[in-house]
Amino acid sequence: MAKLDVKFIREALAGKWDIDVVVDGKKVSHLIMDWPDAFGLCLGVEPGKFVSEEVTVEKGVRQIAMAGWRSDVQRWYGHWYNDKGGYGELQYTYQEGNTLYGYIHDVPEDGADPVEWSVAVEIPDHDHFIYRYFGVKGNKELHARRIK
C-alpha cells in the first residue's frame, strides 16, 4: 500500500464543486459542495456553524463536518454530525497514484443501522474527481467538476 500524500489531498479536493450523484449509471440528484482552502479545519462553513442544506451530500440534512490529517496513524480522517442525530466517519487509508482508497462508517440518523462503505476517489486532474461508494446497499458515484 502506498503512503498517503496529505498535500495532494488538500490541494486536489479543496474548492467549490458542482456534483452529480449517480446510482446504477443514472443521475439521481445534483448538489454544490464547498470545501474551502481551510480544508483540514472545517468543510463548507466557518467553525461551529451548520453547513447549509444546499451544500451537503444528502439533501435536506444540515450537518457539521471536520476533516484533517492524523499524523499519528498517517491517515486522512473526516467526521460529521447532522441535525437528525446521525454521525459518520471517513478514513482514507492508502493511495495509488491519483486515487485515494478508504472507508466510510455512516449512521444517517439517530436509531438507524450503521452503513459501511468502501470508497475510492479517482482524481484525474485538478478540476475533476469521481467519488465511488461500494457497499451492501449498492454502489453510487459522485461526479464532480470544480467551480472555483
Side-chain angles (χ1 to χ4, degrees):
M1 291 190 296
K3 186 177 176 180
L4 288 167
D5 180 348
V6 68
K7 184 174 185 279
F8 170 78
I9 294 170
R10 285 189 175 118
E11 290 176 357
L13 296 178
K16 191 168 187 175
W17 298 92
D18 180 61
I19 299 175
D20 290 329
V21 180
V22 177
V23 176
D24 297 326
K26 296 179 183 165
K27 179 180 168 181
V28 296
S29 66
H30 177 263
L31 54 100
I32 302 296
M33 189 175 296
D34 190 5
W35 289 338
D37 288 333
F39 200 79
L41 298 176
C42 195
L43 299 178
V45 70
E46 303 90 47
K49 295 188 177 178
F50 275 101
V51 177
S52 76
E53 293 179 14
E54 291 77 34
V55 297
T56 59
V57 173
E58 186 179 345
K59 291 281 188 182
V61 176
R62 297 176 54 209
Q63 68 181 14
I64 293 174
M66 295 177 296
W69 181 249
R70 289 263 321 260
S71 60
D72 58 335
V73 291
Q74 298 294 300
R75 290 187 178 184
W76 185 270
Y77 272 76
H79 298 270
W80 57 90
Y81 306 89
N82 69 38
D83 61 351
K84 294 181 177 182
Y87 61 92
E89 174 184 73
L90 155 75
Q91 286 190 44
Y92 294 136
T93 55
Y94 70 100
Q95 177 177 345
E96 290 181 359
N98 289 349
T99 303
L100 307 171
Y101 296 92
Y103 64 89
I104 292 175
H105 172 82
D106 187 34
V107 179
E109 61 186 332
D110 187 32
D113 290 332
V115 179
E116 307 296 332
W117 301 93
S118 294
V119 295
V121 185
E122 180 184 339
I123 306 168
D125 59 52
H126 185 69
D127 294 323
H128 300 89
F129 70 80
I130 300 172
Y131 204 114
R132 293 183 170 93
Y133 296 75
F134 308 96
V136 296
K137 290 194 166 194
N139 301 331
K140 66 180 174 178
E141 297 180 348
L142 304 178
H143 293 245
R145 180 182 55 84
R146 185 181 300 278
I147 298 170
K148 57 180 172 177

